[in-house]
Amino acid sequence: MWEYAAASFRLVAGLKPPLEALAARLRLTVERSWEDLGAVDVAMFRIQRVDFALSRLEGGVEPSTFVWVSRSEPDADAALEILLGALGIGLDALTFRGDMETGFERFDGSSR
């Protein structure tokens, strides 16, 4: 499913908590899929009319759970706030934030 849906999402952030814990908090099912870099675990869902996906690349260098938002969502920051509120976590749970156009900022102050 992720192979088909991935083109509809854009990466906006990384979260410190593991995918399994976040999925359990939202009562989501995690599915195994594949992408160019290998196996990926993904949970896709909707909150307040915003489509999200959480993913974790198996064996990935970055331990973060990746946060994806629908490309049709105009305000990624507002969407991220909705997600963090639903999860009951704050900005301190982020490892990075940004997008492909503006770049990603790590929360240790460096950029990617």
Side-chain angles (χ1 to χ4, degrees), residues 37-69:
L37 299 174
V40 62
D41 293 324
V42 179
M44 293 182 286
F45 55 100
R46 177 178 269 196
I47 301 173
Q48 295 182 18
R49 292 181 274 171
V50 178
D51 292 315
F52 293 96
L54 299 175
S55 72
R56 181 181 51 82
L57 185 63
E58 184 178 272
V61 175
E62 181 69 47
S64 295
T65 297
F66 295 126
V67 178
W68 303 81
V69 174

Side-chain angles (χ1 to χ4, degrees), residues 4-21:
Y4 175 75
S8 299
F9 288 90
R10 68 184 190 271
L11 181 64
V12 297
L15 291 172
K16 293 175 190 173
L19 173 61
E20 295 76 10

Side-chain angles (χ1 to χ4, degrees), residues 84-107:
L84 295 177
L87 289 168
I89 58 178
L91 292 174
D92 58 326
L94 293 174
T95 58
F96 68 88
R97 186 178 194 167
D99 61 41
M100 294 297 286
E101 292 176 11
T102 62
F104 294 101
E105 182 179 349
R106 294 180 62 91
F107 278 92

